[in-house]
Amino acid sequence: MNDLASIPAPGATTQLSGDGAGVAEAARLIRAGACVAFPTETVYGLGADATDAEAVAGIFAAKARPRFNPLIAHLPDRAAAEAEGRFDAFALRLAEAFWPGPLTLVVPATGGTRVCDLARAGLPSVALRVPSNPLARDLLAAVGRPVAAPSANRSGRVSPTRADHVLADLDGRIAAVLDGGETPVGVESTVIACLGGPPRLLRPGGITRAAILSVLGTALDASAPDAAARPVGPGLLASHYAPRARLRLDATAIEPDEAVLLFGASRPAGIAQARAVLNLSPRGDLAEAAARLFAALRALDASGATTIAVSPIPADGLGEAILDRLGRAAAPR
């Protein structure tokens, strides 16, 4: 049973320092059934005890998240992850190559998995990740249970890469945020399903397709997913990662009063009419662009522009993950 008396009252989100005392308090709150945001190497996650359906429901309440979308369960190491899911040869190969790191594996749940049905959205599979951020791993070890943790923002909004981003969306809606500074990767984890047959890339992310293929030694499943089926992994809703402003992609000319998101040396016609301009990476570095993406969208959204025009971004490497996020942010909603 949750120790409700030890959880801060609604309206009081505590900012915890990224030290031993902060980790201990964050772990205590999660074990007590509270929601606590914490940094990973990708973005900040909104953590709750994945074994406790009531605690997981608190994530959905804080994020206003659709309940059919599964959550990622975070573990401190591979051994802990293998207790929750069944790993075939492909999953083992990927885990060995990329864990700890920005990879989520969707695998069949073990009969003894502790990840509750609500976190798995009623599915027989489970989404597992071992993050590389040292603060996250210290926290997960201190909790001693799987921690469900989608990105720490309102559902469909821009993902947070700093503690102040979390507070901008969730202040007063969660118990605490563990401040670990800015996250270096800046886009969420790559999600791969290993559910029998060739692995399927469900979501591009912090590990590139090329890196995945080099480890697997086989092609990914390229068949079209069933559009009517429930998502088997996180981040698969059509409209997701969305700022308030409308996004206009592959913009080569700027309309008056638009905000502009540039990449590289691009200088679209009409840029002098822009309300605000930010460049993800003036030198054309996709890793830098990925790390700055969500913070840039937040800043341009705050300009008050009703449209954010995005200049073309190459689709190779991390560009695939960037374009995936931008495409979901631009989807009708």
Side-chain angles (χ1 to χ4, degrees):
M1 181 179 295
N2 297 338
D3 182 7
L4 297 179
S6 64
I7 299 175
T13 296
T14 302
Q15 191 162 353
L16 301 172
S17 58
D19 56 17
V23 167
E25 176 62 6
R28 184 193 70 78
L29 287 168
I30 290 173
R31 289 195 302 269
C35 292
V36 176
F38 65 95
T40 73
E41 69 278 18
T42 57
V43 299
Y44 275 72
L46 180 56
D49 182 355
T51 72
D52 181 347
E54 184 180 346
V56 171
I59 293 176
F60 292 120
K63 286 178 63 71
R65 185 184 179 108
R67 298 193 179 226
F68 52 78
N69 208 11
L71 304 180
I72 299 171
H74 293 66
L75 290 307
D77 53 48
R78 188 171 129 191
E82 289 179 355
E84 307 300 332
R86 298 198 303 274
F87 287 56
D88 63 14
F90 292 125
L92 287 171
R93 201 175 302 166
L94 290 166
E96 183 175 352
F98 298 118
W99 276 355
L103 172 71
T104 294
L105 291 173
V106 178
V107 297
T110 63
T113 184
R114 295 174 294 167
V115 180
C116 70
D117 185 71
L118 183 59
R120 292 185 288 112
L123 297 169
S125 56
V126 62
L128 302 171
R129 181 156 107 81
V130 178
S132 63
N133 181 291
L135 195 61
R137 297 184 74 192
D138 287 348
L139 173 63
L140 295 170
V143 172
R145 305 166 192 166
V147 173
S151 56
N153 54 279
R154 297 283 190 105
S155 185
R157 296 289 307 282
V158 179
S159 298
T161 54
R162 300 197 305 260
D164 62 301
H165 293 165
V166 175
L167 292 171
D169 253 12
L170 299 177
D171 192 16
R173 299 176 68 87
I174 63 175
V177 55
L178 182 63
D179 192 345
E182 189 159 11
T183 61
V185 176
V187 293
E188 291 89 344
S189 60
T190 299
V191 181
I192 300 178
C194 295
L195 297 169
R200 180 193 291 273
L201 179 64
L202 298 181
R203 182 179 75 184
I207 297 172
T208 66
R209 183 186 294 264
I212 294 162
L213 293 176
S214 70
V215 167
L216 287 176
T218 187
L220 293 164
D221 183 353
S223 61
D226 181 357
R230 287 181 297 171
V232 298
L236 299 181
L237 297 180
S239 177
H240 208 46
Y241 315 107
R244 294 183 180 86
R246 182 178 71 90
L247 261 66
R248 186 167 66 85
L249 305 183
D250 294 320
T252 56
I254 306 305
E255 301 295 328
D257 219 31
E258 287 185 321
V260 182
L261 187 62
L262 299 175
F263 176 80
S266 175
R267 295 291 294 178
I271 197 168
Q273 308 175 83
R275 176 182 288 253
V277 179
L278 287 175
N279 196 320
L280 287 174
S281 176
R283 65 176 186 266
D285 183 321
L286 287 168
E288 179 182 39
R292 299 181 64 188
L293 176 62
F294 291 129
L297 286 176
R298 284 178 178 274
L300 292 177
D301 207 25
S303 74
T306 57
T307 300
I308 299 172
V310 183
S311 67
I313 295 172
D316 56 302
L318 282 175
E320 182 179 18
I322 295 169
L323 291 172
D324 175 79
R325 302 305 185 276
L326 289 171
R328 294 178 191 277
R333 56 185 189 274

